[in-house]
Amino acid sequence: MKSWMKAKIINLDEVDSTNSYCKRAADDGYRGDLIVCAAHQTGGRGTKGRSFLSDEGGLYLSAMRFLRGFDFSNTFSIMINSCVAVCKALETAGLCPTIKWANDVLVGGKKISGTLIENKLLAGGEMLNIVGIGINVNNALPPCISDIATSVKEQIGRSYPLEKLKRALIKTLGCEYTVDEYKRYVDWLGREVKISSGGGEFSAVAKDIGEDGSLIVEREGGTVKINSAEMSLKL
Ligand code: BTN
């Protein structure tokens, strides 16, 4: 992994999506490391085609880089790095985060952060990689999601300096983390969980996270490997 300290940093008041901004920069020929932050997003995007609420007060950041000779079977390493980086940054604010596979970060059992990773293979074998992270910091959350979502402010009982958390995140994003470090933030292995896909939902016992990022569960006496692109976990 590499340090982001020398990346070009763009701070915007408003944008549709910081990930989309990065993509447009790449389409326009930009080829350097780029970090784009926005005070709020009008079209924040989440995983599986969902939208991501991005009101003022939250941290919305995308980090774009170009990787040469990247092994595509290793894309989970990017997710490990970003999830652990978010956890480590939240710890600097005094929080005790956990990870809900694949890339949600929770505090007190409620979602505080999500990550959208977008990769694209470019001509010449280079890979465009965008890691988009949203963290609820001081933004007010709608009452309808108060039982599933939380913010740094809600957890510590006061506003937290956004810039301080952003700096911490840019620093932790530059470190390299292992699957074992990811698993240290996972507190639900060994428990019965629900796995859902477009086609329905089933219960299973979560056993492990594979080196390839799959969720390994036990169901009806057999072991099943689950891919995060197709299924999601409900705790
Ligand atoms: C999810 O929880 O589904 C992922 C949410 C990712 C949101 C971040 S905010 C910064 C970046 N820009 C986006 O449009 N999405 C990501």
Side-chain angles (χ1 to χ4, degrees), residues 17-19 41 44-47 52 61-62 111 114-116 132-134:
S17 150
T18 52
N19 270 33
Q41 303 183 113
R45 297 189 286 110
T47 56
F52 186 79
L61 176 150
S62 296
K111 179 164 170 171
T115 299
L116 174 66
I133 296 169

